[in-house]
Amino acid sequence: MNNNVNNQIQTYGWNTYWYSILAEQNPDIQHLPPARVIAQFSHSYKLMTESGEHSAGVTGKFEFNAAKRGDYPAVGDWVMVEMLPNESRSVIHAVLPRRTSMVRKVAGNVIEDQIIGANMDYLFIVNALNQDFNIRKIERYLIAAWESGANPVVLLTKADLCEQPTKFASEVENIAPGVPVHFISALLNQGKEQLQPYLQPGITIAITGSSGVGKSTLLNWLAEADTQKVQGIRENDARGRHTTTHRELFLLHNGALIMDTPGMRELQLWESQDGWQHAFADIEQLAESCRYRDCRHDADQGCSVVEAVNTGELDPKRLANYKKTARELAHLTRKENANNQKISKKATSYKSARSYVRPNRNAYMSED
């Protein structure tokens, strides 16, 4: 790559780390130029390449080898591409291993992962200071955030609608020790200075949260431009309407990269055991002092967790959410294991069928 190419790609986060990752990959792709996925649609992508924005799709070989949805490119991914001559189009040959990624289970009964965003440095968990404020929902997002590998930051938006925003900030700090919590108001232009340490050149930040919490408004505020369309919320329940319909990565004027994602009514967790333990580290620590190793934290004798609830040290609703998410993850694991067994059996049957050689019936016929 020449210096101009380096400058263009480095603006979107390409650095020595990614050079080292590329050096470990198949030599067949090392000669290809890198690009970053900046938007994802149903069957296509928008990339930032060394020569500017390109539309793109994956190769047939890539599609054939992709075993699951999560193998496909996601917004924030670095991909190795073949740029078509004299066109603003590219073909994606490979996705470089993700440094971080936020993953959720797809909606419905399908046991499959969905990548919300990849290679983020920070994850802004956004919750509004109105009727939709929900500490249990923030706990779920923290589980996914810790599992992602990115650093979580909680933003309490619409502070202009709340008389005591510090009270809510304290609630979040109690369930997320060490996680930065900021309350902001785009309407009153308050709190932006608190976010400046995160908004550095080449740093990628994903914004996530429910519909109507102010994600698109936050993006426009930080970008100082109408980057995303904004819609209001329903007055009767403060629930939002979907504004963002796809995932997209935006370059701010100060060089930071912001990833906007569609609002989620419910965040369904995916393979988040480590994130779950981190999000509920206080309960896990209490559980170490329980009399029995397999303590269920119900009415077990010598249970330190129940004792903490009785003394007021632990919120019983937090314990209930701890148990609920534990059951959810265990159920998901069982279903995923059963699904993998089905896929394995199907693959084995298919392989056996292909290796079957039809007998030559002439070999069984006597000669004249």
Side-chain angles (χ1 to χ4, degrees), residues 31-35 47 49 56 79-83 90-94:
H31 70 284
L32 296 172
L47 311 179
T49 73
V79 294
M80 307 309 293
V81 302
E82 176 186 358
M83 295 191 289
S90 290
V91 181
I92 298 171
H93 285 259

Side-chain angles (χ1 to χ4, degrees), residues 44-65:
S44 63
Y45 305 89
K46 183 163 68 173
L47 311 179
M48 180 54 65
T49 73
E50 60 188 39
S51 60
E53 288 189 9
H54 278 205
S55 60
V58 300
T59 65
K61 181 180 179 181
F62 186 109
E63 192 168 3
F64 179 80
N65 290 329

Side-chain angles (χ1 to χ4, degrees), residues 106-311:
V106 296
N109 296 321
V110 179
I111 306 301
E112 198 171 16
D113 59 338
Q114 181 182 27
I115 310 296
I116 302 300
N119 302 316
M120 312 88 59
D121 297 284
Y122 295 100
L123 190 65
F124 282 0
I125 301 170
V126 183
N127 203 278
L129 290 172
N130 57 16
Q131 294 169 254
D132 202 36
F133 179 82
N134 189 322
I135 199 74
R136 305 282 79 88
K137 190 179 293 183
I138 293 174
E139 284 178 338
R140 290 183 70 85
Y141 277 96
L142 283 168
I143 293 173
W146 286 124
E147 191 70 25
S148 76
N151 295 306
V153 178
V154 178
L155 301 188
L156 302 178
T157 61
K158 306 184 181 182
D160 52 285
L161 301 178
C162 182
E163 293 181 359
Q164 295 180 304
T166 53
K167 172 181 174 292
F168 292 96
S170 296
E171 284 189 46
V172 177
E173 289 167 352
N174 287 336
I175 60 104
V179 175
V181 181
H182 307 290
F183 47 87
I184 57 177
S185 170
L187 180 64
L188 300 180
N189 197 29
Q190 293 179 348
K192 187 180 291 187
E193 68 282 353
Q194 302 174 51
L195 306 184
Q196 292 307 315
Y198 312 109
L199 302 172
Q200 299 299 316
I203 295 297
T204 301
I205 301 165
I207 301 175
T208 187
S210 303
S211 303
V213 297
K215 297 190 305 299
S216 296
T217 300
L218 172 64
L219 173 60
N220 291 342
W221 183 50
L222 295 176
E224 299 179 359
D226 291 333
T227 304
Q228 285 287 65
K229 197 186 304 181
V230 176
Q231 295 185 30
I233 59 174
R234 298 194 301 257
E235 294 297 330
N236 60 333
D237 61 1
R239 293 298 178 90
R241 306 178 181 94
H242 288 285
T243 299
T244 305
T245 57
H246 63 278
R247 298 167 186 83
E248 189 161 359
L249 187 66
F250 298 93
L251 178 66
L252 302 190
H253 63 87
N254 63 359
L257 296 143
I258 299 288
M259 187 186 303
D260 196 15
T261 63
M264 292 178 275
R265 290 292 182 209
E266 181 184 2
L267 173 63
Q268 298 196 49
L269 301 175
W270 177 265
E271 294 184 352
S272 303
Q273 186 65 29
D274 290 342
W276 174 77
Q277 290 178 330
H278 200 146
F280 293 103
D282 55 335
I283 299 180
E284 290 284 281
Q285 187 174 2
L286 285 168
E288 291 178 2
S289 300
C290 289
R291 178 177 297 180
Y292 303 107
R293 180 170 294 182
D294 60 347
C295 183
R296 294 170 297 177
H297 314 310
D298 287 325
D300 304 81
Q301 189 175 10
C303 177
S304 299
V305 176
V306 172
E307 183 180 348
V309 171
N310 293 336
T311 60

Side-chain angles (χ1 to χ4, degrees), residues 311-327:
T311 60
E313 180 185 350
L314 179 64
D315 184 349
K317 292 181 180 178
R318 178 163 170 77
L319 176 58
N321 202 33
Y322 168 85
K323 293 179 179 179
K324 176 186 175 184
T325 49
R327 290 192 299 269

Side-chain angles (χ1 to χ4, degrees), residues 332-344:
L332 177 62
T333 298
R334 289 193 297 271
K335 291 186 72 173
E336 188 185 4
N337 289 340
N339 190 55
N340 289 340
Q341 287 179 3
K342 282 184 181 179
I343 294 173
S344 179

